[in-house]
Amino acid sequence: MKKIAIGCIALVAILTLVWVGATGAADKFPTKRITYNICFNPGGESDITARFQEQALKKVLGVDISINYKIGGGGALCWSELVQTKPDGYVIAGHNLPHIALQPLEMGNAGYKTLDLKNIYMFESTPNILLVRNDSPYKTLKDFIEAAKKNPPGVFTVGGSGTSSANDLGTTMLSKAAGIQLTYIPFGGTGSAVPALLGGHVTALMSYSTMGVQYKGKFRALAIASGSGWKSSPTCRPSRNRDTTSWRGPTGVSPPLRERRMRSLRFLPMPSRRS
């Protein structure tokens, strides 16, 4: 009995040392470069927001942040690869809502499950916005809808970022609300969707309010998403509406101790993005 007791005490001591050692290692996190994967094309909204965070993350974490691109499947490729990485906190990725909720539901097998992704913090939220070129004959949302009704169903094409995404969902919701049939054309990200509208390859673009501001000299904003539906927008300004359609920030698969360290970044003052 005495030997068993001594054995139990020794086992507890060993487990305690292992736990303390693991805790100490986690407390030192990070000790090397962190890879921040972007799931969409360079130059798009996800890329821009990651660049805004890059220097602030480097300052508070004390290590370099390496931004890479994993493009495909409207973000699904990037997120499916993320859940296969070692859960040590050294690989994170930009996440987008509602994308990471819609894709596992609509794709059947997106390569990841929503709850596999541990969102660290939200950096930005932007509403969907319907854009046309400045030389478009459609001056208002009413003009656009009336013209779409006069044309055969599906003739009006709307480009956007990814499938099972905020832009995809926004196009479907607008079609249903207006009683029209729009054809949604998915691109690898905002970075490749914008040139499609500039080149006249699509009728309109379902994008984000920030893109409307960035290209206000080339695009006209017809409408912006709101809690009460689609509101005509003669000018494009950053929305102050509380109801938005896309939320962004980093996500990972790190264990609790590292995750807790990363979550402290929520209180870090980030560079402001003003238009």
Side-chain angles (χ1 to χ4, degrees):
M1 191 69 179
K2 184 176 180 182
K3 289 183 179 179
I4 294 175
I6 293 173
C8 289
I9 293 171
L11 178 61
V12 169
I14 291 170
L15 291 175
T16 300
L17 288 172
V18 170
W19 183 84
V20 169
T23 303
D27 286 342
K28 294 177 182 177
F29 172 83
T31 59
K32 61 182 181 179
R33 181 182 61 191
I34 291 176
T35 298
Y36 193 149
N37 287 329
I38 308 302
C39 307
F40 298 93
N41 290 104
E45 189 67 16
S46 294
D47 185 24
I48 293 170
T49 55
R51 299 293 177 179
F52 269 92
Q53 299 167 66
E54 182 181 6
Q55 291 305 313
L57 289 172
K58 182 177 180 180
K59 181 178 180 180
V60 74
L61 294 174
V63 296
D64 288 335
I65 307 297
S66 174
I67 293 183
N68 295 330
Y69 300 93
K70 299 279 186 178
I71 306 162
L77 174 65
C78 178
W79 296 315
S80 62
E81 286 191 8
L82 177 64
V83 299
Q84 301 300 320
T85 61
K86 184 179 179 181
D88 58 8
Y90 286 101
V91 178
I92 59 177
H95 78 263
N96 299 64
L97 284 170
H99 309 44
I100 60 173
L102 290 176
Q103 289 180 356
L105 291 173
E106 295 185 349
M107 292 182 176
N109 181 16
Y112 70 94
K113 296 179 181 178
T114 303
L115 295 181
D116 290 339
L117 303 175
K118 311 299 181 184
N119 296 341
I120 299 166
Y121 59 79
M122 294 292 187
F123 175 73
E124 178 192 51
S125 60
T126 52
N128 272 329
I129 192 167
L130 183 66
L131 300 170
V132 294
R133 294 195 333 183
N134 271 350
D135 60 0
S136 168
Y138 316 120
K139 308 296 183 184
T140 65
L141 177 62
K142 183 180 178 182
D143 292 342
F144 182 84
I145 292 173
E146 288 180 350
K149 288 181 176 179
K150 291 176 182 178
N151 280 274
V155 168
F156 270 38
T157 56
V158 178
S161 176
T163 54
S164 298
S165 62
N167 295 161
D168 189 358
L169 178 62
T171 303
T172 300
M173 292 173 68
L174 176 59
S175 296
K176 184 176 180 180
I180 57 179
Q181 186 174 326
L182 302 171
T183 298
Y184 179 73
I185 308 295
F187 290 89
T190 308
S192 55
V194 166
L197 181 57
L198 287 171
H201 304 299
V202 292
T203 311
L205 198 67
M206 186 66 70
S207 193
Y208 305 109
S209 56
T210 45
M211 291 293 104
V213 174
Q214 185 174 339
Y215 293 93
K216 62 183 178 182
K218 297 178 179 180
F219 294 159
R220 178 185 303 125
L222 298 184
I224 192 166
S226 75
S228 57
W230 286 89
K231 291 184 177 180
S232 294
S233 177
T235 58
C236 183
R237 298 174 182 172
S239 175
R240 293 176 183 172
N241 202 303
R242 289 172 296 176
D243 299 289
T244 57
T245 9
S246 187
W247 294 77
R248 298 178 191 84
T251 189
V253 288
S254 56
L257 287 171
R258 284 182 169 82
E259 187 178 318
R260 193 155 56 239
R261 171 76 167 114
M262 293 293 284
R263 286 185 188 279
S264 68
L265 295 173
R266 290 180 300 176
F267 306 102
L268 174 68
M270 291 287 182
S272 63
R273 182 175 182 180
R274 301 183 184 277
S275 304

